[in-house]
Amino acid sequence: MTTPSPPLSLNDFQRLIRAMYFEKDSARGVDGTFMWLLEEIGELAAALRDGTPEEQAAEFADVLAWLTTIANVAGVDLAEALQRKYGAGCPGCGQLVCTCDSAGKP
Amino acid sequence: MTTPSPPLSLNDFQRLIRAMYFEKDSARGVDGTFMWLLEEIGELAAALRDGTPEEQAAEFADVLAWLTTIANVAGVDLAEALQRKYGAGCPGCGQLVCTCDSAGKP
């Protein structure tokens, strides 16, 4: 398929993941679902170490999907959370281009 | 501020995080940046255990921000990665509503 897709909004993705997995993941609960997220984090680390660009992209997608499903179970709107924390600039220094101390946590 | 914002696309957020942190994070590299992601994952776990809804939302935002900054350093387009892996349904069973075995990894 080469038809270009419209840009995927975070809201759309969160709804898509809810439709796919909510029933199963809400039954499993946050704790059990968090274990799957951690497994994907490990796979992302491995792919960043020696995966192809395609493998790396797929692992980023999996981490995002598991993070999103946990947000669904916890009742968190990801787009709203991002907007609130990062929409007005770096939460550390308040600047669009972060000027926090490099050694510190932005 | 009560002005409603347009929906945040993942592309917009990835560009925003690039503007804020790319210079610093590309100098730090993937390995050092990954450590920060893991710290945020730990904070998310703690917030899910006993944080307020606002604290939980803020920790989800932080995990997403660090994941996004690593994607920037690794040269991965997150929206494209999601579209490719999840845009046609569950990567396990191919269905919009996942029918994979509950004990298995979807």
Side-chain angles (χ1 to χ4, degrees):
Chain A
M1 300 278 285
T2 55
T3 317
S5 321
L8 188 72
S9 79
L10 204 50
N11 279 332
D12 291 341
F13 183 65
Q14 189 160 6
R15 270 194 295 270
L16 179 71
I17 290 293
R18 169 178 290 273
M20 277 186 209
Y21 301 120
F22 184 74
E23 192 179 341
K24 194 177 292 188
D25 288 334
S26 62
R28 183 192 279 132
V30 165
D31 289 20
T33 307
F34 209 90
M35 289 290 285
W36 288 108
L37 171 65
L38 294 186
E39 183 166 323
E40 291 300 339
I41 291 277
E43 292 180 10
L44 174 62
L48 287 168
R49 188 77 63 207
D50 58 16
T52 65
E54 290 71 25
E55 287 164 346
Q56 294 181 3
E59 294 303 337
F60 274 105
D62 285 343
V63 170
L64 264 172
W66 282 100
L67 190 68
T68 302
T69 213
I70 296 172
N72 282 333
V73 176
V76 167
D77 181 317
L78 288 176
E80 188 183 308
L82 287 181
Q83 187 72 50
R84 193 175 304 161
K85 183 113 192 214
Y86 291 90
C90 171
C93 62
Q95 303 297 310
L96 175 59
V97 178
C98 170
T99 58
C100 295
D101 180 348
S102 283
K105 181 174 164 181
Chain B
M1 298 280 285
T2 54
T3 317
S5 319
L8 187 72
S9 78
L10 204 51
N11 279 332
D12 291 341
F13 183 65
Q14 188 160 6
R15 269 194 296 270
L16 179 71
I17 290 293
R18 170 179 290 271
M20 278 187 208
Y21 301 120
F22 184 73
E23 193 180 341
K24 194 177 293 189
D25 288 334
S26 62
R28 184 192 278 131
V30 165
D31 289 19
T33 307
F34 209 90
M35 289 290 285
W36 287 109
L37 171 65
L38 295 186
E39 184 167 323
E40 292 300 339
I41 291 276
E43 292 181 12
L44 174 61
L48 286 169
R49 187 78 62 207
D50 58 15
T52 64
E54 290 71 24
E55 287 164 346
Q56 294 181 3
E59 294 303 337
F60 274 105
D62 285 344
V63 170
L64 264 172
W66 281 100
L67 190 68
T68 302
T69 212
I70 296 172
N72 282 333
V73 175
V76 167
D77 180 317
L78 288 177
E80 188 183 308
L82 287 181
Q83 187 73 50
R84 193 175 304 161
K85 182 112 192 215
Y86 290 91
C90 171
C93 62
Q95 304 297 308
L96 176 59
V97 178
C98 169
T99 58
C100 295
D101 180 348
S102 282
K105 180 175 166 181

